Amino acid sequence: MAPSAESWQTLAESKRKSINNTIPEAWRLSSIPSVKDQPDVTGEFICKYLSKREIEITEADAPEIISKTTTGQWKSEAVVKAFCHRASIAHQLTNCLHEISFDAALEAAKDLDEHFANYKAPIGPLHGLPVSLKDQFHVRGIETTMGYVGWIGTFQGKKGTGLEKVYESEMVRDLRKLGAVLYCKTSVPHTLMAGETVNNIIGYTTNPRNRNLSAGGSSGGEGALIGIKGSPVGFGTDVGGSIRIPAAFNGLYGLRPSAGRLPYQGIANSMDGQISVLPVVGPLARSVATLNIMFKSLLILEPWLRDPLVHEMPWRDAHERQILDQIGAKQSQTPKLAFGILRHDGVVNPQPPIRRALDIVENILKRLGHKWIGDLLHTIEAAPFASVSTFFKIVDADIPQLKTWKYDGGADIHNALGLSGEPISPQVANLFGSEQLEEMGASEIAATNVAKREYQKEYIDYWNSTKDLTGTGRPVEAFIMPCAPFPAVRINGNNYYGYSMIVNALDYTACTIPVTNVNQDIDLVDKSYRPLNEVDQNVANDYDPSVYDGASVAVQLVGRRLQEEKVLTMAEYIGKALSELN
């Protein structure tokens, strides 16, 4: 496909300037500290640019914000303006925004305040809550580039459709109905297919806690923005870890629901039409309470009536109560919860901080009286029944990724890059190469789908078999495992997705849980470790305690398919126990 008459460099620079120029002049920083001088820009550093009132508002979590905006204690306009200011500073420090719609957001907030003044009632449960969105969501008045230079000034790469800056994704309309205020869209890697966020428009999105490290990807802008408290909550997408990796890297909770719980209708995507492993949409936030509010609120609107792929499945209070009853049970009554743990997937050994985080969670749950059984799932030694041969029918063994990502040989992403002639980023080229490969045939795609179904069945059977190990009369409720083998990565260092993409292949529900931070005095390099393979060697070599010191460390809680109510309830319980420990 012929590139644009304008050079991609000119288009990218113009777009980059337009984003930065949308920041009000009073909010522009006179100078940006170097990464060397100021690696951590969270907490006290960013707060020095804010007023006391802005700090009070932006430090508040979503439930507190809603409790005040829905009762008239806080004006929506003041709340939105405070987050717009903090998001502006966040972008200047980390490159986390693609689109800014502050003026429209402030007008929407004024309308909400007027509604409350007239009716003494909120417009919905999210009245006045600022919500950020990954730059896949279509929002009226602003573009969706998804990191592609060739999508600038178009609708998903096409010109003259009449949909440009007019069309809105289904969830966007739902969030407006609920009273949320949409004020910005966040950065992604072009193609979406990378665990780091980088593109030729805004550059590299850094981790606000340590700008030597990545914010993750592909919802990396969401991770950075929420991590620096420039947003109380946002939505990302996940087809291989793209919610959980940024959430983990930035010390956040992130929900990867099973396919069909929340509406994906009208969201831009890569490789649209690949349905073997469906992408999902989910929230990232500072607390599970916030995830709960967002999930429940969206289900109130019955999204299955507008999105053909959403299951007719309202929030199930009985599932939540079941977990709460088991948490509060005495041993003489209903048995407590049972958990499994996956420490090592047999391919790449997690770095020392991740191993310590797993130990912390295990010890806390044991101390609280819950059942715990040994290494589970995907581990070759522990679970030969989850057949390795079946697994490698759905995974490219040479480059650890799902085969479903390359059904078209990379045609979709290379065509999108070709619209402007821009180069592919190294992070994406690591997976897809610099040019299109041969597409898979129908028979190979069908065989991959059969192998995926067989793999899912093997895991179901094994999960059920844990009933004989727990002593509760039930299989394990969930298991704990790494989101990634590292707490974060340096530039171009995210080279393994095995711990996240396996959950996508199984379509299990998963939630990240921040556990601790890297401590260079405790999380020492294991000099005796002998790597299993080249990828394992690279991950081991990348770890430097002095570089990673202070970085967030998280795990993921994995439940069965479509068990969002149970997983969120357990994640909140574990998170509270961790906070009391700390």
Side-chain angles (χ1 to χ4, degrees):
M1 191 173 294
S4 166
E6 287 187 272
S7 72
W8 71 263
Q9 294 94 333
T10 300
L11 288 168
E13 183 180 10
S14 176
K15 179 66 177 179
R16 182 165 54 252
K17 286 181 177 178
S18 74
I19 297 168
N20 293 331
N21 289 340
T22 311
I23 297 174
E25 191 167 348
W27 293 351
R28 297 176 195 172
L29 303 183
S30 57
S31 62
I32 309 292
S34 69
V35 173
K36 182 180 179 181
D37 291 339
Q38 190 66 48
D40 184 350
V41 292
T42 62
E44 291 183 3
F45 182 82
I46 191 170
C47 283
K48 72 181 184 181
Y49 298 105
L50 304 171
S51 69
K52 288 184 178 179
R53 178 65 171 148
E54 289 173 325
I55 293 170
E56 178 189 14
I57 291 171
T58 55
E59 291 286 317
D61 198 12
E64 181 183 357
I65 294 170
I66 293 170
S67 72
K68 295 182 183 297
T69 55
T70 57
T71 56
Q73 297 176 65
W74 283 359
K75 296 286 188 183
S76 298
E77 183 182 3
V79 171
V80 171
K81 187 174 182 180
F83 276 101
C84 288
H85 188 188
R86 192 156 181 158
S88 295
I89 300 168
H91 175 64
Q92 293 172 79
L93 295 171
T94 66
N95 289 337
C96 61
L97 300 183
H98 275 186
E99 298 289 335
I100 290 171
S101 54
F102 296 162
D103 290 343
L106 290 169
E107 286 301 314
K110 289 177 184 177
D111 290 343
L112 290 172
D113 288 335
E114 184 177 350
H115 179 279
F116 194 92
N118 291 336
Y119 298 101
K120 299 298 183 288
I123 198 171
L126 304 183
H127 183 100
L129 179 68
V131 176
S132 53
L133 298 171
K134 184 179 184 178
D135 190 25
Q136 289 179 256
F137 292 84
H138 292 294
V139 178
R140 65 173 179 258
I142 53 178
E143 289 188 326
T144 301
T145 66
M146 216 167 76
Y148 287 124
V149 175
W151 280 25
I152 296 170
T154 74
F155 181 79
Q156 296 182 185
K158 297 178 181 179
K159 295 183 178 180
T161 66
L163 300 174
E164 295 87 347
K165 297 186 180 182
V166 176
Y167 179 78
E168 290 202 313
S169 306
E170 189 62 47
M171 185 179 284
V172 170
R173 294 195 287 266
D174 286 352
L175 288 168
R176 292 191 195 281
K177 290 175 188 174
L178 294 165
V181 179
L182 311 175
Y183 66 112
C184 64
K185 292 205 296 177
T186 53
S187 57
V188 301
H190 60 200
T191 77
L192 307 176
M193 305 305 293
E196 300 170 62
T197 295
V198 59
N199 61 63
N200 294 313
I201 299 174
I202 57 101
Y204 195 92
T205 301
T206 55
N207 191 313
R209 191 182 295 272
N210 182 345
R211 291 188 296 159
N212 291 294
L213 304 176
S214 171
S218 63
S219 309
E222 283 299 318
L225 183 64
I226 301 169
I228 203 172
K229 299 183 179 178
S231 169
V233 61
F235 282 90
T237 62
D238 194 315
V239 76
S242 292
I243 290 171
R244 290 159 291 147
I245 292 170
F249 285 10
N250 291 279
L252 305 172
Y253 292 90
L255 177 68
R256 187 265 175 213
S258 293
R261 281 311 298 267
L262 294 179
Y264 207 96
Q265 180 69 30
I267 296 174
N269 207 9
S270 282
M271 300 167 288
D272 195 18
Q274 181 282 113
I275 60 174
S276 297
V277 176
L278 287 170
V280 299
V281 59
L284 299 85
R286 290 180 246 160
S287 69
V288 179
T290 301
L291 304 185
N292 262 314
I293 289 170
M294 304 309 291
F295 199 80
K296 289 180 179 179
S297 297
L298 287 165
L299 292 182
I300 288 171
L301 297 180
E302 301 179 326
W304 48 85
L305 297 178
R306 295 171 301 282
D307 186 333
L309 297 184
V310 174
H311 303 298
E312 186 172 350
M313 191 179 292
W315 178 268
R316 296 164 294 183
D317 291 312
H319 286 211
E320 182 180 12
R321 284 196 304 272
Q322 180 185 346
I323 297 299
L324 291 173
D325 287 346
Q326 290 164 0
I327 287 171
K330 296 180 180 178
Q331 293 298 333
S332 59
Q333 300 172 347
T334 303
K336 287 195 172 241
L337 300 174
F339 296 92
I341 186 168
L342 169 61
R343 298 184 184 279
H344 191 314
D345 67 357
V347 181
V348 170
N349 188 34
Q351 292 176 351
I354 303 296
R355 301 201 296 270
R356 181 166 63 89
L358 293 168
D359 289 340
I360 290 171
V361 176
E362 177 182 1
N363 291 333
I364 247 181
L365 290 172
K366 282 181 176 178
R367 196 181 72 226
L368 291 169
H370 300 291
K371 300 291 184 179
W372 196 269
I373 66 175
D375 287 346
L376 282 182
L377 306 179
H378 193 195
T379 306
I380 296 171
E381 297 83 2
F385 35 79
S387 127
V388 176
S389 61
T390 307
F391 179 64
F392 282 110
K393 289 179 183 177
I394 61 173
V395 171
D396 186 334
D398 295 327
I399 307 173
Q401 62 177 310
L402 294 171
K403 288 184 178 180
T404 57
W405 298 351
K406 295 172 75 172
Y407 278 169
D408 69 350
D412 178 71
I413 65 172
H414 286 294
N415 287 340
L417 292 166
L419 291 172
S420 66
E422 66 178 305
I424 191 170
S425 71
Q427 288 81 356
V428 178
N430 288 341
L431 295 178
F432 290 90
S434 57
E435 57 185 29
Q436 185 180 337
L437 305 173
E438 184 179 353
E439 296 187 18
M440 284 191 187
S443 296
E444 190 173 0
I445 291 172
T448 302
N449 287 334
V450 169
K452 185 202 74 170
R453 186 179 69 230
E454 291 174 348
Y455 196 55
Q456 291 173 327
K457 171 59 174 165
E458 290 174 358
Y459 271 83
I460 286 176
D461 290 344
Y462 178 59
W463 197 305
N464 292 337
S465 77
T466 63
K467 178 180 179 180
D468 300 327
L469 304 173
T470 60
T472 66
R474 306 181 310 268
V476 294
E477 271 73 34
F479 65 94
I480 308 291
M481 65 180 289
C483 298
F486 20 66
V489 293
R490 288 179 270 192
I491 294 176
N492 204 20
N494 199 340
N495 56 4
Y496 186 69
Y497 304 103
Y499 287 100
S500 56
M501 70 181 181
I502 186 62
V503 177
N504 298 84
L506 295 167
D507 196 25
Y508 285 162
T509 304
C511 184
T512 56
I513 301 175
V515 177
T516 186
N517 299 95
V518 177
N519 185 325
Q520 64 179 334
D521 297 323
I522 298 174
D523 301 312
L524 305 176
V525 173
D526 182 358
K527 295 181 180 179
S528 67
Y529 180 68
R530 295 294 176 264
L532 300 175
N533 51 64
E534 185 178 352
V535 177
D536 193 26
Q537 177 77 69
N538 291 338
V539 170
N541 289 348
D542 179 72
Y543 180 62
D544 182 334
S546 64
V547 172
Y548 284 88
D549 189 47
S552 300
V553 187
V555 299
Q556 60 179 327
L557 177 75
V558 181
R560 291 187 190 246
R561 184 170 172 268
L562 299 170
Q563 296 298 306
E564 287 74 25
E565 294 88 347
K566 292 183 179 181
V567 167
L568 286 170
T569 305
M570 287 185 282
E572 187 166 31
Y573 171 66
I574 295 169
K576 182 180 179 182
L578 287 166
S579 66
E580 291 173 353
L581 174 71
N582 296 330

